[in-house]
Amino acid sequence: MADKKNLLLLFDHPTEPVFMDKGKRVTVFDVPDSFLTDRYRPISNEVQSRVGDKVEQRVPVREISIPDLRIPMSLGRDEQFSLFLPKHRRIAGRLIDIFMNMRSVDDLQSVAVYARDRVNPVLFNYALSVALLHRPDTQGLDLPSFSQTFPDRFIDSQVIRKMREESFVVQPGSRMPITIPRDYTASDLDPEHRLWYFREDLGINLHHWHWHLVYPFEASDRSIVAKDRRGELFYYMHQQVIARYNAERFSNNLARVLPFNNLRDPIAEGYFPKMDSLVASRAWPPRFESTRLSDLNREADQLNVEIGDLERWRDRIYEAIHQGFVMDERGNRVPLDEATGIDTLGNMIESSILSPNRVLYGDLHNNGHTFISYAHDPTSKHLESFGVMGDVSTAMRDPVFYKWHSYIDRIFQEHKSRLPAYTENQLNYSGVSIAGIQVDTNGGRPNNLTTFWQQSDVDMSRGFDFLPRGNVFARFTHLQHLPFTYTISVNNDSGAQRFGYVRIFMAPKNDERGQPMLMRDQRSMMIELDKFVTSLNPGPNTIRRRSTESSVTIPFERSFRNLDANRPAAGTAEELEFNFCGCGWPNHMLVPKGLPEGLQCVLFIMVSNYENDRIDQQLVGRCSDAASYCGVRDRLYPDRQSMGFPFDRLPRSGVDRLVNFLTPNMSIVDVTIRHENRTVQRQN
């Protein structure tokens, strides 16, 4: 029987033929002659023996009858692949189905080996990744980081050229990391470039890619798409991205991002990515300042959509929100209620196959990405492919991503604003009160957080094709913060042990003009830092929680899938937790950058009644440590409350400031985030 771990080797060197050596341990697939492409079949013996004596492991590939691959192969090997394009989503859905329907790991290995040299490399990576994540017999596998297999999505072409030179000239043991410049996409003449460290962060862009991997748009097996509260999670993850981005703008003396409300207005910001696609052998096209959207008529992409279509879909969605229901395909009313309304809206706006009525409500979110990504060549007159907004692994690099998603979030907030405000009884936890909060860094002043720059190395060798083997490192600069600890004093006056759900948020204290923020504005700026269960003994309790334990983030090693480092002992419960997943906000971006003089923020902590919030399920080994933005694989979302509770709705009448919102089980404290403009090297 095939070893399922060998399937991971198919991600290595994605544009090389499948019969070439792979892995740290030199491994080759013994490919049946009939599986070779037309170019290599006549010279089978010559090409399959080229690795010679260096082979340490051979993987036999069984010859089987291959399913019909005509639909997956209809996308060219050297074309760009986009999950936002309906045609490409259908192609990907078909390939996912083929991989999912293989009866055994042996059959999956055979069809994957056959498909690898015939379908688009990025499409292959995506479809096989989705299948490995969802097949019962492959769920324990650790997928390689997308940045390792497709480094061209994350670093500029000059660095890739230098890495190729280093790997060709220098022996593996003597190679030096190639540093990615901090300021390679623009200069400080562009105010938006102050946010380079957020938009172009490798970990943030990997999070976005991996989220869409865990939550694919389409598959004939509906269960792959129809995960618990998937639509609500689409809303909440992106809402939090915008909240975090706005906090970073305040950290750079910039105002909040303006939503792209009028689709016929020019896009003020330009973006020049400075990257090449190694698959398509084309530069990612730029977008010039003040570019306008145009109707799309691209025959090769099967795209014929007008701006008016987007406007009609938007108006119908707003009408549904104001009526309180949507119409499904059979003409039935689906209520947009407090419990499931946001989930229905999320599925509809995104839109996935879970949309209640794609004909009526369209494909607003995905087409917005597509319109923007083709703004430079809407009719394919110049045979240009899409810009970075057209790919989930690159979209967050572009300033317009945040304008577009602010626009999408406004639609969601229209629904949220129509829900009844939480009452004091819904918010309070009778008998439980917070007596004090303090945040400490080692040796630092209380309630002061410190950020700085850090340089880290990431191995990109799996993504470099036709080069001498061995590690090739890129060194990138990213934001980092000193680790900190929350100390929370909680009184339990009930006389019995109770359980609380601790919810921690943070937001800027003042707006762009330096004025104290109103509660209705500040709630949308609240970024979730952590959420965890705690036991409360009768009387006073002291709860301590480290920032590294956050329910939002994953550690550096997991973001970049350095899964050979610090691995727990095989077969232990710790290893189960370690294995999955790559979905999660990078820990180094947990807190905003702050300002040299200090960004004034307010830290909010609430202890809610866990008996009202709990979901009874077993979470061991289910990637539950970054559940806030990613959910829990194959399980229910581990919180009964609405995502973002208690800030997901407008405050009750009379509450104009955060301090007026508080009930005894809540507390706030002022926190200052100071940025030190120094750079340190990560010590692995």
Side-chain angles (χ1 to χ4, degrees):
M1 192 174 78
D3 183 347
K4 63 183 180 181
K5 290 183 180 178
N6 291 330
L7 291 166
L8 299 177
L9 296 171
L10 295 173
F11 292 110
D12 285 14
H13 313 297
T15 65
E16 287 184 357
V18 70
F19 51 75
M20 293 188 67
D21 62 294
K22 293 168 178 57
K24 293 279 192 282
R25 184 181 174 199
V26 183
T27 303
V28 296
F29 288 91
D30 285 332
V31 183
D33 286 355
S34 63
F35 279 25
L36 296 175
T37 58
D38 293 344
R39 172 65 186 93
Y40 297 117
R41 198 177 302 124
I43 51 174
S44 164
N45 291 335
E46 178 184 338
V47 295
Q48 296 219 55
S49 62
R50 59 178 295 131
V51 184
D53 299 332
K54 293 183 290 184
V55 177
E56 298 178 45
Q57 179 186 11
R58 290 191 174 274
V59 179
V61 177
R62 201 153 52 86
E63 192 168 6
I64 65 169
S65 177
I66 299 297
D68 186 351
L69 289 171
R70 281 177 297 179
I71 292 176
M73 288 169 60
S74 65
L75 179 68
R77 293 258 309 157
D78 57 356
E79 291 183 49
Q80 290 278 51
F81 167 70
S82 171
L83 285 170
F84 297 121
L85 290 173
K87 173 187 173 184
H88 291 194
R89 289 205 300 273
R90 289 191 295 271
I91 290 171
R94 177 64 185 135
L95 189 55
I96 291 168
D97 292 341
I98 289 171
F99 289 153
M100 289 295 297
N101 291 334
M102 291 296 104
R103 291 174 299 176
S104 65
V105 172
D106 276 293
D107 287 357
L108 174 61
Q109 177 178 281
S110 292
V111 77
V113 165
Y114 183 90
R116 188 182 182 278
D117 289 350
R118 290 171 170 82
V119 304
N120 181 278
V122 184
L123 164 65
F124 177 85
N125 182 298
Y126 171 74
L128 184 60
S129 296
V130 171
L132 296 184
L133 284 173
H134 293 89
R135 282 180 65 103
D137 54 2
T138 57
Q139 283 192 357
L141 293 175
D142 306 319
L143 298 183
S145 165
F146 195 65
S147 66
Q148 290 180 356
T149 46
F150 289 97
D152 54 305
R153 296 294 201 277
F154 301 89
I155 56 181
D156 75 307
S157 40
Q158 284 189 350
V159 170
I160 287 181
R161 181 189 61 77
K162 291 175 182 176
M163 293 175 78
R164 286 187 176 280
E165 179 181 334
E166 185 78 8
S167 63
F168 192 79
V169 175
V170 183
Q171 290 300 309
S174 304
R175 292 174 187 168
M176 300 286 288
I178 305 300
T179 300
I180 303 172
R182 281 175 43 158
D183 299 294
Y184 69 87
T185 52
S187 72
D188 290 339
L189 293 173
D190 178 11
E192 295 296 323
H193 187 61
R194 298 178 201 172
L195 278 297
W196 66 271
Y197 65 92
F198 186 94
R199 291 187 285 100
E200 296 169 3
D201 181 79
L202 271 69
I204 284 179
N205 282 281
L206 276 171
H207 160 76
H208 194 233
W209 159 263
H210 207 107
W211 192 94
H212 284 282
L213 204 63
V214 176
Y215 294 95
F217 295 93
E218 302 202 17
S220 63
D221 181 352
R222 193 175 173 86
S223 67
I224 294 176
V225 182
K227 297 186 175 71
D228 183 53
R229 296 170 70 177
R230 178 237 166 80
E232 183 178 9
L233 205 51
F234 170 80
Y235 142 73
Y236 185 58
M237 187 274 284
H238 288 93
Q239 186 275 328
Q240 283 288 286
V241 165
I242 299 303
R244 288 179 172 276
Y245 187 68
N246 281 327
E248 299 294 350
R249 293 181 73 84
F250 282 20
S251 299
N252 289 278
N253 297 304
L254 294 171
R256 275 167 282 189
V257 66
L258 294 174
F260 188 30
N261 284 330
N262 188 340
L263 303 178
R264 298 179 188 272
D265 280 350
I267 301 170
E269 299 84 359
Y271 185 64
F272 294 75
K274 313 289 194 301
M275 298 192 305
D276 292 337
S277 166
L278 296 181
V279 169
S281 300
R282 292 281 189 277
W284 287 87
R287 187 188 60 260
F288 291 86
E289 292 177 357
S290 300
T291 297
R292 291 180 184 272
L293 302 188
S294 302
D295 296 343
L296 295 181
N297 187 4
R298 296 178 58 96
E299 189 174 338
D301 298 312
Q302 297 177 11
L303 273 180
N304 191 346
V305 196
E306 300 175 357
I307 297 175
D309 293 324
L310 296 182
E311 293 169 331
R312 278 187 291 276
W313 297 335
R314 173 204 62 198
D315 292 345
R316 289 169 185 169
I317 293 168
Y318 270 114
E319 181 182 27
I321 291 170
H322 295 150
Q323 289 176 332
F325 62 86
V326 301
M327 300 294 294
D328 70 14
E329 292 171 345
R330 297 179 179 177
N332 300 315
R333 293 185 177 188
V334 179
L336 295 178
D337 55 21
E338 295 181 51
T340 62
I342 188 69
D343 195 51
T344 300
L345 269 181
N347 289 325
M348 192 164 84
I349 291 172
E350 188 186 11
S351 76
S352 71
I353 59 169
L354 306 180
S355 172
N357 195 334
R358 261 186 175 170
V359 173
L360 186 60
Y361 300 110
D363 195 357
L364 181 61
H365 161 259
N366 298 330
N367 267 293
H369 275 266
T370 302
F371 268 85
I372 294 168
S373 68
Y374 279 129
H376 59 288
D377 192 15
T379 61
S380 196
K381 177 168 62 176
H382 302 291
L383 303 180
E384 281 287 303
S385 188
F386 48 79
V388 293
M389 270 290 280
D391 188 288
V392 293
S393 66
T394 57
M396 291 183 71
R397 303 173 70 88
D398 193 326
V400 78
F401 174 92
Y402 305 91
K403 296 176 76 96
W404 175 243
H405 272 280
S406 293
Y407 170 75
I408 293 294
D409 190 61
R410 280 208 170 181
I411 303 175
F412 286 121
Q413 295 305 329
E414 184 73 13
H415 163 70
K416 287 287 187 178
S417 70
R418 298 179 64 81
L419 299 178
Y422 294 117
T423 64
E424 290 188 68
N425 283 339
Q426 287 175 298
L427 298 172
N428 202 6
Y429 189 2
S430 179
V432 172
S433 59
I434 298 181
I437 304 170
Q438 187 165 301
V439 182
D440 296 286
T441 57
N442 289 340
R445 285 186 293 170
N447 301 327
N448 276 260
L449 303 179
T450 301
T451 68
F452 51 94
W453 303 116
Q454 187 173 58
Q455 287 190 327
S456 299
D457 297 343
V458 180
D459 183 14
M460 301 289 195
S461 59
R462 299 179 79 155
F464 282 91
D465 302 330
F466 307 108
L467 283 178
R469 302 307 195 215
N471 295 341
V472 192
F473 286 97
R475 176 167 291 170
F476 73 105
T477 305
H478 58 86
L479 188 66
Q480 185 57 281
H481 58 272
L482 291 178
F484 55 92
T485 302
Y486 309 98
T487 303
I488 312 163
S489 300
V490 182
N491 291 323
N492 173 11
D493 299 329
S494 70
Q497 187 185 49
R498 305 175 80 177
F499 289 91
Y501 217 158
V502 181
R503 303 167 186 274
I504 306 178
F505 291 83
M506 184 167 63
K509 190 174 182 181
N510 302 315
D511 65 15
E512 299 92 329
R513 299 166 299 157
Q515 300 300 309
M517 293 188 80
L518 292 170
M519 173 63 179
R520 62 184 302 123
D521 295 326
Q522 196 174 38
R523 73 173 189 89
S524 66
M525 296 280 285
M526 284 286 178
I527 58 176
E528 184 176 330
L529 297 180
D530 204 352
K531 183 167 58 178
F532 60 93
V533 182
T534 188
S535 62
L536 300 171
N537 295 318
N541 294 260
T542 300
I543 303 166
R544 289 185 175 86
R545 175 83 166 181
R546 299 190 304 272
S547 58
T548 51
E549 298 175 279
S550 169
S551 65
V552 173
T553 64
I554 55 176
F556 180 88
E557 291 77 16
R558 200 178 299 179
S559 282
F560 297 96
R561 312 304 285 151
N562 182 15
L563 294 161
D564 296 321
N566 306 313
R567 174 177 286 285
T572 62
E574 289 79 9
E575 192 201 27
L576 287 172
E577 286 294 337
F578 187 81
N579 274 345
F580 188 86
C581 67
C583 183
W585 194 253
N587 184 263
H588 61 265
M589 298 298 292
L590 177 62
V591 298
K593 178 170 77 74
L595 291 161
E597 66 274 20
L599 177 69
Q600 302 303 312
C601 292
V602 59
L603 184 77
F604 168 94
I605 297 183
M606 172 186 192
V607 182
S608 59
N609 186 346
Y610 185 57
E611 292 306 313
N612 296 337
D613 307 339
R614 70 184 302 158
I615 300 289
D616 292 318
Q617 59 185 346
Q618 177 57 253
L619 293 181
V620 174
R622 289 290 174 176
C623 179
S624 58
D625 56 348
S628 290
Y629 295 177
C630 292
V632 183
R633 194 172 84 174
D634 303 326
R635 290 293 185 270
L636 303 177
Y637 191 79
D639 184 1
R640 196 178 300 279
Q641 300 287 357
S642 297
M643 296 178 197
F645 173 82
F647 297 112
D648 64 301
R649 301 187 193 177
L650 292 176
R652 61 191 181 275
S653 178
V655 173
D656 58 345
R657 304 283 180 185
L658 180 59
V659 68
N660 308 128
F661 180 72
L662 304 181
T663 50
N665 58 318
M666 305 176 187
S667 189
I668 56 175
V669 66
D670 289 347
V671 171
T672 302
I673 307 175
R674 285 189 168 82
H675 178 69
E676 298 177 355
N677 191 21
R678 59 186 174 93
T679 305
V680 302
Q681 180 72 39
R682 175 182 292 276
Q683 302 301 314
N684 292 326

